Amino acid sequence: MTDSPSAAEPDPHTPADRPEPATVSGTLADGMAAAARRAGFSPAADGEPISGHALIAAMGGVRGLVEAVLPGLVFLVTYTFTRDLIPSLIAPVLIGLVFFVLRLARKQTVTQAVGGLVGIGISAVLALFTGRAEDFYLPGFWTNGAYGAVLLVSALVGWPLIGVAVGFLMGEQLAWRSDPSKRRVLTILTFMWAGLFILRLAVQLPLYYAGNVEWLGATKLLMGIPLYAPLLVLSWLMVRSVYAATAAQEPRTTSGQ
């Protein structure tokens, strides 16, 4: 499989008089394939057996999971027991700095640590500026709203972003749009991922407006990785299934021509 093909693979199901799917620049192809990898779709494309190890690796490894969960958990626990905003904000920022320094000292990629630290910093500044602990969670609402809206709109207009990203990851660019089975499955997946982000908002926003910091923090943790992981596994299964079914049909289609 080629991660950044220069042209779309010919689709055996496409009639001869229908134009080939438009080619896309290598830069865009690389970018969309990279986005699919960051979202955890690599095992589906690489044929890696579905396992706990593959799932953890797709989500950034044990360290990546700790870096994603620990700052928010520390903020929640500290605020719950102290009801003091300042130490509750200082604690996750310090943890983010520790993660950054550890990666730097070991000469590892610091992209994830920097992203996490920036996110923690923005959350802390917002809460400190307003004096409201619940505002620590505002950036999460923005990102969930943006992801949910973009994914939902893309599926409604017939260009599901999960399909676009997976298509480049699988090395076929936009050829999947000519296959009804792939298009249907990838559209359903896009709706499902949009639903995850929208569900988070539906549950957490009422808690935010109620000022219930404890339950807001708890639901944010519970609706993070515990929901992301099973949806990712389901996505792997659906992508593998539809691509395997299409591959199995190709020899029969070719022989019947």
Side-chain angles (χ1 to χ4, degrees):
M1 183 189 72
T2 303
D3 289 335
S4 54
S6 57
E9 295 287 340
D11 187 351
H13 302 290
T14 303
D17 58 344
R18 184 185 300 176
E20 293 285 342
T23 60
V24 183
S25 70
T27 300
L28 177 59
D30 289 343
M32 294 304 299
R37 291 191 195 94
R38 287 194 300 271
F41 279 85
S42 289
D46 299 337
E48 183 177 351
I50 296 175
S51 63
H53 175 75
L55 181 60
I56 291 173
M59 294 189 295
V62 174
R63 172 173 291 183
L65 293 177
V66 172
E67 290 177 353
V69 172
L70 190 58
L73 178 61
V74 167
F75 170 80
L76 176 62
V77 171
T78 305
Y79 186 77
T80 299
F81 283 100
T82 67
R83 311 303 295 183
D84 192 333
L85 186 58
I86 300 300
S88 301
L89 295 176
I90 291 175
V93 171
L94 289 177
I95 289 174
L97 285 170
V98 168
F99 288 145
F100 173 76
V101 171
L102 285 176
R103 284 184 176 268
L104 201 63
R106 297 183 180 184
K107 298 182 179 180
Q108 298 173 331
T109 177
V110 297
T111 304
Q112 183 172 348
V114 170
L117 183 58
V118 170
I120 296 168
I122 293 173
S123 298
V125 168
L126 285 171
L128 187 62
F129 181 76
T130 63
R132 292 159 41 110
E134 56 266 35
D135 285 342
F136 182 79
Y137 299 102
L138 269 179
F141 296 144
W142 300 337
T143 55
N144 279 299
Y147 287 146
V150 170
L151 287 168
L152 180 61
V153 170
S154 73
L156 291 174
V157 301
W159 282 89
L161 280 182
I162 297 296
V164 175
V166 168
F168 286 120
L169 182 63
M170 301 296 286
E172 64 171 0
Q173 291 201 4
L174 303 178
W176 57 272
R177 288 179 52 80
S178 300
D179 186 312
S181 296
K182 289 180 182 177
R183 186 166 181 169
R184 180 173 58 254
V185 167
L186 294 171
T187 299
I188 291 172
L189 275 178
T190 303
F191 275 121
M192 290 170 63
W193 281 99
L196 170 65
F197 297 115
I198 294 170
L199 178 62
R200 289 173 177 172
L201 291 176
V203 172
Q204 295 169 19
L205 276 175
L207 295 172
Y208 169 79
Y209 286 115
N212 194 328
V213 178
E214 291 80 4
W215 275 106
L216 175 57
T219 54
K220 181 176 176 61
L221 292 171
L222 292 173
M223 300 184 78
I225 292 172
L227 284 186
Y228 183 92
L231 182 54
L232 183 58
V233 171
L234 181 60
S235 300
W236 292 352
L237 293 172
M238 292 176 67
V239 169
R240 288 185 182 185
S241 177
V242 71
Y243 273 87
T246 302
Q249 291 174 0
E250 288 178 357
R252 293 198 297 270
T253 304
T254 302
S255 63
Q257 291 178 342

